[in-house]
Structures are given as C-alpha cells and as structure tokens.
Amino acid sequence: MPDISSSKVAIIGLGYVGLPLAVEFSKKIPTVGFDLNQRRIEQLQSGNDVTREVTDKELKEAQNIKFTSAPEDLRDCNVFIVAVPTPIDSNKRPDLRPLEGASDTVGKALTPGDVVIYESTVYPGATEEVCVPILEKISGLVFNKDFFAGYSPERINPGDHEHRLPSIVKVTSGSTPEIADFVNDLYATIITAGTFKASTIRVAEAAKVIENTQRDVNIALINELALIFNRLGIDTIEVLKAAGTKWNFLPFRPGLVGGHCIGVDPYYLTHKAQEVGYHPEMILAGRRLNDDMGRYIASQVVKLMLKKKIHVADANILVLGLTFKENCPDLRNTRVTDIIEELDSFGANIDVYDPWADNDEARQRYDVNMISDLPVDHYDAVVLAVAHHEFTNYSHDVLRKMCRDNAVIYDVKHVLQKNVADGTL
C-alpha cells in the first residue's frame, strides 16, 4: 500500500467527474489525467474544458498534472481512480463496457502494492464481482495480497458551481480496513467538507445508487401529480407552493428526468435486485412514468395547437434547449429528444436551439442539427424545454416575435410569466 506522501495518482476518464478530481489532486500530489479521447486531451492541454466544470484559470494553474491518452504514462502511478461513464443499453440494462475497458487499462499498469479506486456509479457488488477479476486477470496479481481496491462514489452535479468537489462530503471505502483508512485519508486531502468512511465497498456502492433512485421516485410522484392536476384544471406549481409552506414538504418539481445519474442509476439497482430474485415495483413504476413525460409534453403541445386550429402536420415548431439540465452543456441521456421525436411523428418541422450544447455532439448522439439563429415570424409553436438563463430572460415580446400571429408557447420548466405561456407541465 502506497503512502500518501509518495503517491502518484492516475485519474482514468476526464469527463465531468474525472477532470475536477484530477485538478484537485494535482494541488497535493503528482497526477496523471488519462482519457482515450485524444481530442479531449488536446483541449485540456490547451487549457480548455468544454464541460465547463473547470475554468481556464484553474486549468492553467494546475501545474502538477499530465494529460495523456497513452497507457504507458500510467506505469509509474500507484493509485488509480476510475471515473468513466456507466450508461445503460437500449434494453435499459447496465452497460459496463467502459468500466471493463478502464479496468483492463489499469490492470496493464498495476504493480504490487497499488490501489485502484472506483468512482463510477454501479450496483452493489460490481467493483468486486466485475472489476477486480479483470484487474487480477490482466495484471497477474492477487487481490488483497498484491493490490487493493476502494470505492468512493462521485457526487458531481454538472453545471452546479456552488456545490463543487471539495465542498461535497465524500463517501469512501476500501477492500481491507487498512485500505479503507488509506482511501479515506487520501480524499481528505482534497475534500474540505469532510468524508464518511463506509464499512464495506458494497455499502458505499449501494449508498450512491440510492441517492439518485430516491430523487427519481420523488420526481415521478410530482410528475404524476402534475398529470392529475392538469386534468383537474389546477396549476401544479401553485399547489406545490402552497404545500411547501409545511416545514417537511420536499420541494420537488415536475419535469423531464435525464442525465447520466437520475435517469440511469435506478436501472443499475433494479438489475441487481432482479439478479437476486426481487422484482422492484415502485422504482420501475417511477422510471416508466418519468420516461413517458416527453411524449406527454408533446401531446399537450399538439392539443393546444389543435385548439387554436393550427395544423400540426408541416407546422414549424421551435424547441428551446437540448441539454439534460439548465446552464450546462451535458447532452447525455437528455429526454428533450422524446419531445422532439414525438412532435416529429406528427409531421411537424422541428428546429432546436441551444446556445450551451455542442452541435457536433448533438448530431452524433441524436441526429439533431441545431439552428444557430432564431428567425422572426416563423413558428407555429415554441416549447421551452430547458431553463437556460438565456431563455428565462425572454419576455412576451421576444417570444411572440419568433411566432406567427396564431401560435402556441409551452413552458415545460415553469419559468415564464403566466401571460406568456399558453400551457405548462
């Protein structure tokens, strides 16, 4: 087991989670930031983070770090932290290929005494059941004799510049009591908010996966309430504001549930539950409801258009926002695409505008070609899908200027004044 003072850390995966980790650790100990994407490496070497999680100034000041896509640069590291994506496949089953690939890469660099820490969200048991066997096979070393493992789940909230890595309490764990202490002490060097040492790796894995599962189920409840109140002709947000006057009412709001965490993590937990013979009811019901919200929103837009005698087929519809959340360039698992696909199925012409999203990524991921300028007097409907600050500042006049005389404005995020929108979720 390495001593912290003699450690050299390798961060595997330099996305929304890995890059902030690499920058923070580089302030304390020598750090290697590794990613397979050479374009990403070149951007970071030039001092630019397209995820906007780390500022250009912070990158420039990170002197004790080497960004690389060359596996041989990992060989003199003795602590490896894996922070790669853990998505789901088309059947909503865990896709562990990025995690397995990262374990293979680390296994080739492992030497006796090294520690491998995983941050990627997984189901309970995945670290020791999936990752460790790969490390053993590739390295030829024996787990908990020649090398050790830890798990410290990421808690990064993309686009949130108030709750950043050092100010979020870090859950830690290790494969032996001594390694648990080492992992905890290692993170304590960069986490000012403090750490919480879990008793086992499985406990730490489970704690992470239920954080977002809990949020998913709560949002599903509010989404279902919104469906009910819509039929009753009651303003959902007014109801939530009234209920929120009670001290213990949880302030969730209706909306689309996407991204790399909340819309994905519950499927990791249900996968493991089904493996041991339990079929989750509430978790999967919440997932189904949240996954259907995009189609519901599109149907509401269509109904409003028909009420105004607007022909939906060949109508021009503008969708404002494509990222999975506001003021963030992250397109992973965005559910705005559900709105777009449903409206497209009615034969409408869909334009998408998002100043935060990368057009090349939108095209590659979703076959969406975004527009760069907003035309005047062109749209039969406008759907405000993401509450970027650019959109929340839109006045009635600005929005109506984009529209034809008879048009629908639908506010998914409840950010426009009531006299501006024809409908809200």
Side-chain angles (χ1 to χ4, degrees):
M1 179 179 72
D3 181 80
I4 291 177
S5 62
S6 62
S7 293
K8 184 173 184 179
V9 174
I11 309 297
I12 314 300
L14 297 174
Y16 287 84
V17 174
L19 181 61
L21 265 177
V23 170
E24 289 301 323
F25 271 118
S26 72
K27 297 175 183 178
K28 304 293 182 179
I29 51 182
T31 303
V32 173
F34 175 85
D35 200 288
L36 291 174
N37 187 337
Q38 181 59 31
R39 183 185 176 195
R40 173 68 166 158
I41 296 299
E42 290 169 359
Q43 290 169 344
L44 295 176
Q45 288 173 339
S46 67
N48 178 38
D49 172 28
V50 295
T51 70
R52 308 193 198 186
E53 290 300 307
V54 174
T55 66
D56 292 351
K57 181 175 181 291
E58 288 171 322
L59 272 179
K60 185 178 181 180
E61 292 174 350
Q63 298 295 318
N64 202 19
I65 186 170
K66 177 179 182 178
F67 295 116
T68 181
S69 60
E72 55 267 25
D73 290 332
L74 302 175
R75 288 175 183 161
D76 61 344
C77 297
N78 50 19
V79 177
F80 301 86
I81 301 179
V82 177
V84 297
T86 43
I88 52 176
D89 62 20
S90 58
N91 296 314
K92 303 188 188 306
R93 308 290 286 181
D95 181 359
L96 297 177
R97 287 177 297 177
L99 199 62
E100 292 166 345
S103 298
D104 185 288
T105 298
V106 171
K108 293 172 182 175
L110 270 187
T111 57
D114 290 355
V115 178
V116 186
I117 304 166
Y118 290 87
E119 289 222 358
S120 305
T121 302
V122 292
Y123 52 78
T127 298
E128 292 156 298
E129 296 166 8
V130 176
C131 301
V132 165
I134 295 173
L135 295 173
E136 285 190 308
K137 179 181 178 181
I138 299 300
S139 69
L141 301 177
V142 178
F143 178 50
N144 277 344
K145 177 183 177 184
D146 301 322
F147 75 93
F148 307 90
Y151 184 79
S152 181
E154 61 90 0
R155 283 177 162 174
I156 293 294
N157 184 23
D160 185 344
H161 297 293
E162 179 182 351
H163 302 98
R164 305 193 73 193
L165 175 65
S167 62
I168 304 171
V169 173
K170 202 81 166 73
V171 175
T172 66
S173 64
S175 56
T176 71
E178 295 76 20
I179 293 301
D181 288 339
F182 170 78
V183 173
N184 194 70
D185 292 344
L186 178 69
Y187 279 103
T189 64
I190 64 169
I191 305 298
T192 58
T195 59
F196 180 93
K197 186 170 62 174
S199 60
T200 66
I201 287 176
R202 288 164 61 88
V203 167
E205 291 168 327
K208 168 57 182 177
V209 80
I210 71 164
E211 289 175 14
N212 291 316
T213 300
Q214 182 188 64
R215 286 182 58 79
D216 192 43
V217 170
N218 275 303
I219 296 171
L221 171 62
I222 302 302
N223 276 336
E224 187 161 62
L225 293 176
L227 303 184
I228 295 169
F229 294 145
N230 180 58
R231 293 194 175 200
L232 296 174
I234 301 173
D235 187 306
T236 302
I237 296 302
E238 286 190 10
V239 174
L240 295 176
K241 286 180 179 177
T245 58
K246 189 179 181 187
W247 73 91
N248 60 353
F249 185 82
L250 301 177
F252 289 94
R253 286 199 168 200
L256 300 170
V257 183
H260 70 298
C261 285
I262 301 180
V264 173
D265 294 358
Y267 289 119
Y268 274 74
L269 182 57
T270 57
H271 166 78
K272 190 62 178 179
Q274 289 166 342
E275 268 194 354
V276 295
Y278 180 79
H279 182 76
E281 300 289 347
M282 182 181 292
I283 297 172
L284 288 176
R287 275 285 73 237
R288 286 191 296 270
L289 200 149
N290 285 340
D291 278 347
D292 283 341
M293 290 308 293
R295 287 179 285 275
Y296 171 79
I297 290 166
S299 72
Q300 293 300 105
V301 173
V302 169
K303 285 179 182 179
L304 289 170
M305 293 175 71
L306 293 176
K307 283 182 180 180
K308 288 194 171 189
K309 295 182 170 53
I310 301 171
H311 292 288
V312 180
D314 211 33
N316 296 325
I317 300 178
L318 172 66
V319 176
L320 292 171
L322 183 61
T323 61
F324 92 88
K325 66 179 293 188
E326 66 276 3
N327 306 323
C328 171
D330 197 346
L331 287 170
R332 291 173 297 174
N333 194 37
T334 175
R335 302 325 306 170
V336 178
T337 52
D338 296 336
I339 301 175
I340 296 169
E341 290 170 4
E342 188 70 8
L343 291 173
D344 181 70
S345 72
F346 283 93
N349 306 309
I350 314 298
D351 283 346
V352 180
Y353 176 72
D354 191 324
W356 283 81
D358 180 77
N359 194 45
D360 290 338
E361 185 182 0
R363 189 183 305 112
Q364 292 169 2
R365 283 183 181 268
Y366 305 112
D367 197 26
V368 170
N369 290 296
M370 298 188 297
I371 61 172
S372 55
D373 297 299
L374 293 171
V376 174
D377 191 27
H378 182 70
Y379 294 109
D380 299 291
V382 174
V383 181
L384 196 159
V386 184
H388 294 317
H389 61 72
E390 291 91 343
F391 303 154
T392 60
N393 292 328
Y394 281 172
S395 66
H396 179 275
D397 291 342
V398 169
L399 284 167
R400 287 296 172 186
K401 192 176 181 180
M402 305 174 193
C403 299
R404 292 171 175 167
D405 291 338
N406 185 33
V408 166
I409 295 176
Y410 192 90
D411 179 12
V412 175
K413 301 298 292 184
H414 295 270
V415 294
L416 301 175
Q417 295 181 359
K418 281 190 175 181
N419 66 332
V420 176
D422 299 287
T424 58
L425 179 58

